Amino acid sequence: MILGCIADDFTGATDLANTLTRRGMHTVQTIGIPGGAAPQADAVVVALKSRTIPAGEAVAQSLAACRWLKAHGARQIFFKYCSTFDSTDEGNIGPVADALLDELNSDFTIACPAFPENGRTIYLGHLFVGRELLSDSAMKNHPLTPMRDANLVRVLGRQTRHKVGLVPHRTVKQGAPAIAEAYAALQAQGIRHAIVDALEDRDLEHIGAASSALPLITGGSGVAIGLPQNYRIARLIPQRAGASPLEKVGGPGIVLSGSCSTATLGQVERFAARHPAHAIDPAALAADTERTFASLLAWAQDKLKHGPALIYASAPPDTVAAIQAQFGRDQAGAMIEQAIARLALGLAADGVRRFVIAGGETSGAVVSALQVEALEIGPQIAPGVPACLAYGSPRLALALKSGNFGGPDFFAEALEALA
Ligand code: ADP
């Protein structure tokens, strides 16, 4: 293993594994820290579900993953979080990055969530989602991590007691030597975390090259674009083509959506117009969990005899706000995630082998329930979303989609890609 990665959610992990695979690194994603032998791979991405848990627990899990990766040969550690910097003032990006730096005896890292291919760019430390500042985008209404400040120097500054600085775009565009010089200058000022601007993939390639000697890199999947080339130059990996097609699993395919992100709402509407679709009613679920669950499962079993189907909790912000006011934010989220995870388990027991899951937290709950231990990464379905195949028996084909990823027809495209 050359690169050891720790991802704070499951779709984020597949997004990163997708980037590394496409750039010629043989990559395996594990669900949590593997119990058995380390997978044979250039890069291992340990998927945690630590984005929204208490910061202390996120730190403990991330440190355990870091120690496991180092013990299995990782030369560099990558801490992956969302390209919209999903976090709260309590964490977990700052506390985890600080703990990993201590663990690696290092006192400097970068924070770069940019993902230009998906419209996430950083200029003067401000994160943009498409044409909007992060704080004006739909992320301001995220059910768990509403993002209301686009200035990442300030956002990260609230999550760490250390100094946060900036490598501005005018430096980044000059290339790797200028960026490395900026790192050294910031470090000399006692700055521990540097937000790094990036507007396009070329910037990320420069940043990757400049970061070859950093024990820890933190960011979105985009900043991993430049890393495989470092390892090729160091002759640690050979020249390789990208992802190979996955083994076919066949059988019925279900879409399960717990994401309330804008892109997902559009995808739900598009898919529901052409296929059977059933909404989960959180109030009914809270009032009579077993009965509501049984009726959802029976509905899906019936529809899947004839073709693909969709079950979704996805709802617009005002509906989500009303549900959260009634049941509590975390309780509502957990209740819906559990229902979707149980549905996946019930359907897998019934012979369903193709699962398209929308939502990072939701994907985490599903993959845990299905007791998937590791994923083989296949070709990309949409930027940031590869087709995946679970190791073990039976082999399940999965597409794990982070909220705002994928075009309007993503669900149909993903079912097709997993066929
Ligand atoms: P995304 O990738 O879009 O952020 P996630 O699955 O990570 O999606 O997070 C969405 C959260 O919102 C989950 O915890 C999910 O259970 C919760 N949720 C889904 N539908 C509703 C709803 N109708 N009301 C309240 N919370 C919801």
Side-chain angles (χ1 to χ4, degrees):
M1 190 196 312
I2 295 156
L3 180 65
C5 310
I6 303 159
D8 72 350
D9 88 336
F10 289 61
T11 52
T14 41
D15 173 10
L16 174 60
N18 178 53
T19 299
L20 295 170
T21 304
R22 291 180 79 212
R23 299 264 166 166
M25 286 187 94
H26 179 216
T27 306
V28 170
Q29 175 178 341
T30 67
I31 310 305
I33 300 168
Q40 291 298 312
D42 305 325
V44 174
V45 184
V46 176
L48 301 177
K49 194 172 181 299
S50 55
R51 182 170 297 168
T52 57
I53 62 177
E57 283 174 39
V59 164
Q61 290 183 20
S62 305
L63 283 177
C66 179
R67 287 176 191 141
W68 185 89
L69 290 163
K70 290 295 283 181
H72 289 86
R75 293 159 186 254
Q76 194 165 34
I77 297 292
F78 190 107
F79 170 40
K80 158 77 175 70
Y81 39 78
C82 191
S83 60
T84 41
F85 214 71
D86 299 17
S87 52
T88 66
D89 287 352
E90 285 69 51
N92 292 340
I93 295 174
V96 170
D98 276 329
L100 292 174
L101 280 172
D102 290 342
E103 175 69 19
L104 298 167
N105 292 318
S106 176
D107 55 9
F108 180 79
T109 187
I110 59 166
C112 181
F115 190 174
E117 198 180 1
N118 267 345
R120 277 68 160 156
T121 55
I122 308 169
Y123 186 67
L124 294 178
H126 289 71
L127 181 57
F128 289 82
V129 177
R131 289 160 170 252
E132 292 176 314
L133 278 169
L134 173 69
S135 46
D136 292 329
S137 79
M139 277 306 297
K140 66 177 185 274
N141 295 319
H142 189 276
L144 306 176
T145 50
M147 298 302 292
R148 300 198 169 134
D149 185 358
N151 181 334
L152 297 185
V153 176
R154 226 162 34 203
V155 173
L156 187 55
R158 289 194 290 266
Q159 298 181 29
T160 172
R161 56 191 173 78
H162 297 281
K163 285 205 238 170
V164 181
L166 172 72
V167 181
H169 189 253
R170 67 167 185 277
T171 305
V172 172
K173 73 176 184 201
Q174 291 170 35
I179 300 169
E181 243 172 69
Y183 290 174
L186 291 172
Q187 224 173 331
Q189 293 167 46
I191 285 172
R192 208 171 196 234
H193 304 269
I195 304 292
V196 188
D197 280 357
L199 301 181
E200 53 188 13
D201 284 358
R202 204 164 42 141
D203 297 332
L204 295 170
E205 279 163 15
H206 293 325
I207 296 167
S211 306
S212 63
L214 294 182
L216 175 70
I217 295 171
T218 89
S221 64
V223 75
I225 282 180
L227 301 182
Q229 184 60 11
N230 295 342
Y231 308 134
R232 271 190 290 272
I233 290 170
R235 298 191 180 279
L236 293 169
I237 55 170
Q239 283 291 345
R240 276 207 201 94
S244 317
L246 298 173
E247 190 185 305
K248 300 280 172 203
V249 296
I254 182 90
V255 184
L256 299 171
S257 177
S259 158
C260 300
S261 299
T262 313
T264 307
L265 297 178
Q267 290 156 354
V268 166
E269 195 180 327
R270 181 71 71 96
F271 192 83
R274 290 175 203 158
H275 302 89
H278 196 312
I280 296 176
D281 175 358
L285 199 58
D288 191 343
T289 309
E290 291 310 313
R291 205 160 120 189
T292 307
F293 171 76
S295 89
L296 286 167
L297 183 61
W299 179 87
Q301 286 165 328
D302 179 49
K303 297 300 174 205
L304 289 175
K305 287 181 200 146
H306 313 290
L310 160 70
I311 293 189
Y312 63 99
S314 316
D318 49 344
T319 312
V320 171
I323 295 293
Q324 290 184 334
Q326 198 177 348
F327 300 104
R329 184 193 73 171
D330 293 344
Q331 291 82 344
M335 173 180 77
I336 292 164
E337 287 171 33
Q338 280 320 306
I340 291 179
R342 278 183 69 192
L343 278 171
L345 197 58
L347 292 169
D350 234 35
V352 175
R353 296 287 174 261
R354 288 185 291 144
F355 293 87
V356 176
I357 314 295
E361 297 292 329
T362 308
S363 294
V366 167
V367 167
S368 301
L370 292 173
Q371 295 188 313
V372 170
E373 285 183 1
L375 293 171
E376 187 181 342
I377 306 298
Q380 171 169 296
I381 304 168
V385 197
C388 302
L389 197 57
Y391 285 97
S393 167
R395 299 214 76 181
L396 303 176
L398 299 157
L400 307 175
K401 186 194 83 88
S402 164
N404 274 314
F405 286 5
D409 279 318
F410 176 82
F411 291 160
E413 289 160 9
L415 284 168
E416 178 73 30
L418 300 181

